[in-house]
Amino acid sequence: MDSIQVTPTTASKINDVDFKNLGFGTVFSDHMLVCDYADGKWGIPKIIAYQPISLMPSAKIFHYGQSIFEGMKAYKDANNQTWLFRPEENFKRFNISAKRLAIPELPKEVFMEGLKALLKVDEQWIPTQDGSSLYIRPIIFATGEGFHASPADAYKFIICTAPSGAYFAGKVKVLIEQNYSRSANGGVGYAKAGGNYAGQFYPTQLAIDKGYNQVIWTDDNTHEHIEEAGSMNIFVRINDTLITGPTSDRILDGITRKSILEIAKDEGIKVEVRKFTVSEVVEASKNGSLKEMFGAGTAAVISPIAGFGFEDVDYDLPELDNPMALQLKKRITDIQTNKAEDSFGWTVSV
Ligand code: COI
């Protein structure tokens, strides 16, 4: 690949940012990486100031939602070294999503070299406060024009970043969904397609109106199998066994999910990757064997669930002194931020 052209901003916003009070994904770093697909090939990426993009109203993204994204984070360690966590996994999943949405796959060097170059240019934007990181959003969307319902002939790949703190503040209360579905067999549930998330907003708002924070997604056919927690994978702990559902057409192959499974095994925790049901969780809650539930994803890392609602009954999770959720969260974030040894070979220095 030819070298990436960098045109630095002439008006950095970094001094306006309160790095001690970061929300999640609300302030954006000075630069972005942009790469266009046209005439059957991806071009040379360039780094320019973070700025608006101009699109025709007939661009297919607006009509048919042909768009995908990834979620990643960059961290700084005590020696000011920048780290990425399993970026190859994000790259692989990005192209799995691209294929499903009939978007041309992106060359690896455009993603990897582009990302590393962007992180070097915006290095000062990587926060160092505990619990914060630079949240990274690679996206591809259809810029090609046309009302014909078919794949576009032009696309834009962008990486933009946001110094961010926690995604959720505190524990969340969830509603087990019995009507709406996030995904279906043969569908796009396993892909990080923008529309998968848009489709969650309405059912989630209905749950919020009832006093919950998030929806627990169940399978579209029977609504009996527990599949995901909002925009995260879900884990339950029954007695001392950690359980999560197997990935499928309907469940995202979460990088945090698979890292937690490996860390848990390494810590001697019994793990089961198997289908599990609403009845099993309700029964376990009633007999006291349900100890923990938590969501897992890049943005939230691990988000403990305080209680769940099902068929108009609320079930509370016990308050534990040493929950597995915290133990696992500490181990994974220590690895990500180079505070603990990475015996898995997951972290990549930039
Ligand atoms: C992430 O966890 O990084 C995601 O992409 C989910 C998003 C809704 C925040």
Side-chain angles (χ1 to χ4, degrees):
M1 187 174 73
D2 289 357
S3 60
I4 298 169
Q5 192 195 338
V6 181
T7 310
T9 181
T10 50
S12 173
K13 302 165 301 211
I14 199 158
N15 291 331
D16 302 340
V17 179
D18 178 1
F19 279 88
K20 291 200 178 73
N21 289 298
L22 291 169
F24 179 85
T26 52
V27 288
F28 305 97
S29 317
D30 278 336
H31 298 91
M32 62 185 186
L33 180 98
V34 182
C35 182
D36 289 314
Y37 177 93
D39 302 324
K41 58 180 191 306
W42 285 102
I44 307 297
K46 56 188 184 195
I47 293 174
I48 56 175
Y50 179 76
Q51 60 190 274
I53 45 182
S54 161
L55 290 178
M56 287 300 186
S58 53
K60 289 196 178 184
I61 173 62
F62 299 129
H63 304 267
Y64 304 120
Q66 213 189 353
S67 87
I68 55 167
F69 72 96
E70 266 305 318
M72 320 171 62
K73 284 176 173 172
Y75 314 84
K76 275 263 172 185
D77 70 13
N79 297 320
N80 213 32
Q81 174 67 46
T82 301
W83 295 93
L84 286 165
F85 184 70
R86 309 188 78 176
E88 293 261 342
E89 294 295 324
N90 292 96
F91 169 68
K92 277 194 242 155
R93 192 173 60 187
F94 203 37
N95 272 345
I96 288 172
S97 300
K99 190 170 179 186
R100 182 62 182 83
L101 273 284
I103 290 172
E105 288 176 35
L106 191 74
K108 187 170 174 182
E109 69 268 22
V110 172
F111 187 95
M112 290 297 179
E113 301 314 313
L115 174 57
K116 287 180 184 172
L118 181 67
L119 291 177
K120 289 226 151 57
V121 171
D122 275 341
E123 197 186 338
Q124 299 306 318
W125 285 84
I126 305 172
T128 50
Q129 284 74 18
D130 259 5
S132 61
S133 57
L134 187 73
Y135 188 76
I136 302 166
R137 261 296 154 86
I139 53 175
I140 300 180
F141 53 91
T143 53
E145 295 175 64
F147 293 154
H148 196 276
S150 53
D153 60 359
Y155 298 85
K156 207 176 262 301
F157 166 54
I158 292 182
I159 306 180
C160 48
T161 67
S164 293
Y167 190 79
F168 289 113
K171 288 196 175 188
V172 296
K173 232 181 104 189
V174 297
L175 178 66
I176 299 187
E177 182 60 59
Q178 289 297 288
N179 183 25
Y180 296 97
S181 301
R182 176 190 169 273
S183 58
N185 285 332
V188 290
Y190 68 91
K192 281 191 86 75
N196 280 347
Y197 295 78
Q200 299 188 20
F201 295 164
Y202 177 65
T204 304
Q205 188 54 51
L206 296 180
I208 290 170
D209 293 345
K210 288 184 184 157
Y212 300 93
N213 308 96
Q214 277 293 335
V215 164
I216 295 294
W217 298 108
T218 48
D219 71 283
D220 61 302
N221 188 22
T222 63
H223 290 293
E224 178 59 6
H225 295 100
I226 293 189
E227 302 213 314
E228 291 207 13
S231 54
M232 296 173 287
N233 294 113
I234 183 163
F235 285 80
V236 296
R237 171 183 165 194
I238 296 183
N239 290 319
D240 281 332
T241 304
L242 200 57
I243 305 166
T244 192
T247 54
S248 68
D249 275 4
R250 303 185 306 270
I251 301 183
L252 187 86
D253 185 9
I255 296 160
T256 309
R257 171 190 174 278
K258 58 186 166 203
S259 305
I260 287 172
L261 286 173
E262 288 196 50
I263 289 174
K265 282 183 208 154
D266 191 63
E267 304 239 329
I269 294 170
K270 190 171 169 228
V271 296
E272 287 180 6
V273 177
R274 63 163 172 88
K275 292 184 173 180
F276 62 102
T277 62
V278 180
S279 329
E280 184 180 357
V281 168
V282 168
E283 186 48 38
S285 177
K286 284 183 181 159
N287 69 26
S289 58
L290 180 68
K291 306 292 184 202
E292 294 180 61
M293 284 173 87
F294 57 85
T298 298
V301 193
I302 287 181
S303 175
I305 292 170
F308 65 91
F310 176 63
E311 289 183 340
D312 297 325
V313 180
D314 280 336
Y315 299 83
D316 289 331
L317 273 289
E319 299 256 351
L320 305 178
D321 287 338
N322 294 306
M324 268 181 197
L326 272 195
Q327 176 191 347
L328 294 166
K329 184 172 180 179
K330 178 163 174 15
R331 178 87 188 273
I332 193 169
T333 51
D334 281 356
I335 291 173
Q336 288 167 331
T337 53
N338 196 31
K339 280 189 197 137
E341 197 209 330
D342 172 16
S343 52
F344 304 95
W346 288 335
T347 51
V348 172
S349 72
V350 178

